[in-house]
Amino acid sequence: MVTAARTVSQVGMHMGVAFAVMYAFTGSLALGGVAAVVEPICNVALLPLHDKLWERIRARVEARQEVRASTQGDASLSSSTMQA
């Protein structure tokens, strides 16, 4: 129940901020209302794309770290075999 209330609160806050900013810039209640409705719709549409982008970035970073770790592991193996 708390999660649902938090979500509703966040949506209300987003809509209020969008309305206030647009009204402050234009002085128009109509444009403020449009912004209050359009902004959450854009967030819902773009959030999955944003999440996919960050997932790709995370995967690339992890892949680079794995390559570095394996390269360092190979270097330590070759230096230990040279010492023996």
Side-chain angles (χ1 to χ4, degrees), residues 29-78:
L29 292 173
L31 288 177
V34 168
V37 172
V38 170
E39 190 269 341
I41 292 170
C42 292
N43 279 338
V44 168
L46 295 177
L47 187 60
L49 299 175
H50 179 263
D51 289 344
K52 284 181 183 180
L53 173 67
W54 278 104
E55 181 61 29
R56 282 183 168 179
I57 291 169
R58 186 190 61 76
R60 286 182 186 171
V61 168
E62 287 178 357
R64 286 181 186 154
Q65 289 173 345
E66 289 175 9
V67 168
R68 286 182 186 150
S70 67
T71 303
Q72 290 174 354
D74 291 344
S76 66
L77 284 176
S78 61

Side-chain angles (χ1 to χ4, degrees), residues 18-28 31:
F19 175 83
V21 169
M22 186 61 81
Y23 180 74
F25 278 111
T26 65
S28 169
L31 288 177

